[in-house]
Amino acid sequence: MSARDQILARIRAAVADAPDVPEPARDYLATHTAPDPAALLDLLQHHLADYRAHVHRATRERLPGVIAGVLAGHGASSLAVPPGLPAGWLADTAAELRHDSAAAPLTPRRLDATDAVVTGCALAVAETGTIVLDGSEGQGRRALTLVPDLHVCVVRAPGQVVASLPQALPRLDPARPLTWISGPSATSDIELDRVEGVHGPRTLHVVLLTQSEGAGRDGGHGGR
């Protein structure tokens, strides 16, 4: 018997005679935000910027130019590309594309020498300014978004934008490797000196992919 099996067996024995736990009450508010797609997008942008992410808006036609501009602005000459990322997103990119796959993954050394990564996401939560990745098509394995210094993440709006965590969780598969991102990687020491880029990318750019330039109150694709 493994150590895991032994621990679980002891737990089952200890609670064998315990009464059934009542179902928790679910009468709380699932969201504090009105179901207005434009307002949700504005709220998401506000909270992303509050976490020091750079936020852009773009239509499908302008997305390749926005991504290329972000990469060029940071001097990124190499780019990690997860499996399933739409090729059109990188049509204007001059950086060297380094494709990652299960059959031919980027080595740790090569990934460490890669300047940036572009991914999609699973969901974005407006009330918390959180991006959720689940490792599916266009997102790749977790290391791709932790090692390169620059992460450019595309959020399809309104389809991938939800108001709250209670709305997000039912749409996520708990069996998948979920990564929750609220701004660039940051930590503070005991004197509250903030340091970015310790446990992940130093810089996060989020591109809100909209159907029209006027989506939300301040449409367009300028960063914040």
Side-chain angles (χ1 to χ4, degrees):
M1 180 180 291
S2 68
R4 176 179 180 275
D5 292 334
Q6 290 179 4
I7 292 171
L8 292 177
R10 290 173 184 173
I11 293 174
R12 293 188 186 100
V15 300
D17 298 327
D20 293 337
V21 178
E23 286 292 324
R26 302 289 186 185
D27 54 354
Y28 51 79
L29 290 176
T31 178
H32 299 275
T33 307
D36 176 5
L40 279 182
L41 206 56
D42 289 339
L43 184 64
L44 174 63
Q45 179 165 340
H46 171 76
H47 284 144
L48 285 168
D50 193 45
Y51 277 121
R52 301 192 187 184
H54 303 272
V55 187
H56 313 259
R57 298 200 190 194
T59 59
R60 189 171 302 277
E61 294 75 21
R62 302 186 69 173
L63 178 62
V66 172
I67 293 176
V70 169
L71 297 175
H74 286 276
S77 60
S78 56
L79 178 68
V81 181
L85 189 79
W89 290 6
L90 307 179
D92 295 345
T93 299
E96 175 197 351
L97 304 184
R98 299 179 176 178
H99 292 271
D100 186 77
S101 67
L106 295 172
T107 65
R109 185 181 298 274
R110 187 162 174 77
L111 186 56
D112 187 51
T114 301
D115 296 324
V117 61
V118 173
T119 73
C121 72
L123 284 178
V125 184
E127 291 181 354
T128 61
T130 302
I131 306 296
V132 186
L133 280 65
D134 66 2
S136 57
E137 288 291 292
Q139 300 170 53
R141 55 194 174 106
R142 182 170 288 159
L144 289 186
T145 57
L146 294 179
V147 178
D149 205 45
L150 169 64
H151 180 193
V152 182
C153 183
V154 177
V155 179
R156 294 180 173 93
Q160 290 185 319
V161 180
V162 298
S164 64
L165 289 176
Q167 291 182 352
L169 292 174
R171 292 180 53 175
L172 297 170
D173 182 354
R176 298 198 63 82
L178 300 178
T179 302
W180 300 73
I181 302 171
S182 296
S185 170
T187 189
S188 298
D189 60 18
I190 195 170
E191 296 179 348
L192 301 182
D193 291 326
R194 179 184 172 101
V195 179
E196 297 181 352
V198 176
H199 309 111
R202 191 182 313 274
T203 306
L204 173 65
H205 282 258
V206 178
V207 184
L208 305 177
L209 180 59
T210 62
Q211 300 299 318
S212 65
E213 292 291 353
R217 289 194 298 273
D218 50 349
H221 63 280
R224 288 186 59 179

